[in-house]
């Protein structure tokens, strides 16, 4: 069966912002698991979400092994970048773009599967100090989409999907996960 790898951060993992002990939403509430159940007859869906994950280095064996072990017909979906902006006091968009450039160059040379880049939903401004992170997300996504176009990589822009965020403005709400799964499936169906 064809593989569909969903490689991302805490929003792919299904982190529940209401639970400070690093809890997760229930299986039927997480977008990746919803996708898994919908596509179970067509794909072996592998959920690869991890809290705090940033854009990986191409020297990171786990990431590159996932890519190179795939065959034609498989699909690798990556949604990252939010933590590259969020986990620093002075967000560096250039660094995130440089990291993505290396990843996409590696993908073009070494990945037989279809690679899909998702530009993540923007961080929501819940408090004034979040404004800079929101603004950086907008610029980062624009740069990510432009870079992917240069490499002829398929992209989905999740900032257009109107995803409801949870109480922290960073993680999807339960409704946000349902909406994300719905929009993702529709976008995937268009290209398959």
């Amino acid at each position: 069966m064809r593989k569909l790898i969903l490689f991302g951060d805490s929003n792919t993992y299904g982190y529940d912002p209401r639970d400070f002990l690093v809890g997760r939403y229930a299986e039927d509430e997480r977008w990746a698991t919803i996708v898994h159940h919908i596509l179970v007859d067509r794909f072996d869906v592998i959920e690869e979400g991890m809290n705090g994950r940033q854009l990986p280095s191409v020297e990171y064996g786990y990431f590159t092994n996932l890519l190179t072990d795939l065959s034609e017909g498989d699909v690798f979906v990556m949604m990252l970048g939010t933590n590259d902006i969020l986990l620093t006091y002075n967000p560096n968009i250039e660094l995130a773009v440089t990291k993505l450039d290396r990843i996409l160059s590696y993908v073009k040379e070494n990945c037989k599967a279809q690679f899909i880049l998702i530009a993540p939903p923007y961080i929501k401004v819940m408090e004034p100090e979040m404004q800079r992170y929101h603004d950086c997300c907008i610029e980062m996504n624009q740069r990510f989409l432009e870079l992917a176009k240069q490499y002829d990589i398929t992209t989905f822009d999740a900032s257009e999907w109107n995803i409801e965020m949870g109480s922290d403005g960073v993680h999807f709400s339960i409704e946000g996960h349902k909406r994300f799964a719905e929009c993702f499936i529709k976008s995937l169906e268009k290209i398959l």
Side-chain angles (χ1 to χ4, degrees):
M1 187 176 280
R2 299 166 70 186
K3 290 181 184 174
L4 171 62
I5 296 183
L6 306 176
F7 189 81
D9 56 23
S10 51
N11 276 320
T12 302
Y13 173 79
Y15 174 78
D16 182 350
R18 303 168 303 178
D19 183 349
F20 296 114
L21 299 175
V22 196
R24 294 172 91 178
Y25 288 121
E27 276 195 21
D28 62 346
E29 296 170 332
R30 304 191 298 255
W31 80 263
T33 309
I34 295 169
V35 167
H36 185 132
H37 292 311
I38 292 171
L39 298 179
V40 69
D41 294 332
R42 296 174 57 195
F43 285 97
D44 176 14
V45 179
I46 301 163
E47 300 175 44
E48 281 287 345
M50 185 176 83
N51 291 340
R53 179 178 277 150
Q54 297 183 20
L55 289 158
S57 164
V58 291
E59 289 79 33
Y60 176 46
Y62 184 71
F63 172 67
T64 53
N65 287 343
L66 280 175
L67 285 173
T68 55
D69 285 347
L70 296 175
S71 306
E72 288 183 29
D74 293 335
V75 182
F76 189 99
V77 178
M78 184 177 83
M79 181 172 68
L80 290 171
T82 302
N83 288 319
D84 295 83
I85 295 299
L86 187 64
L87 299 181
T88 177
Y89 183 72
N90 291 309
N92 187 335
I93 294 166
E94 288 304 321
L95 181 58
V97 171
T98 299
K99 286 164 84 175
L100 182 64
D101 190 18
R102 289 183 186 139
I103 289 168
L104 298 185
S105 176
Y106 183 89
V107 165
K108 288 308 273 189
E109 294 292 320
N110 301 285
C111 182
K112 295 175 186 168
Q114 171 146 20
F115 187 94
I116 300 171
L117 176 71
I118 301 180
Y122 304 143
I123 292 171
K124 188 175 178 184
V125 180
M126 306 297 279
E127 298 177 17
E129 59 267 17
M130 296 298 283
Q131 186 67 52
R132 92 167 98 189
Y133 298 103
H134 172 81
D135 294 344
C136 285
C137 283
I138 293 172
E139 184 181 346
M140 180 187 71
N141 276 18
Q142 181 182 353
R143 300 276 304 277
F144 278 15
L145 294 169
E146 289 168 359
L147 188 61
K149 190 173 184 181
Q150 291 173 26
Y151 281 99
D152 194 28
I153 296 281
T154 301
T155 58
F156 301 159
D157 186 357
S159 70
E160 297 178 345
W161 293 351
N162 195 27
I163 303 301
E164 181 181 279
M165 295 304 212
S167 56
D168 63 357
V170 176
H171 297 96
F172 306 166
S173 67
I174 292 171
E175 284 305 311
H177 274 273
K178 290 176 185 172
R179 171 84 179 150
F180 193 96
E182 176 186 310
C183 293
F184 174 79
I185 293 286
K186 284 182 184 173
S187 299
L188 190 65
E189 294 287 359
K190 286 179 186 174
I191 64 164
L192 293 180

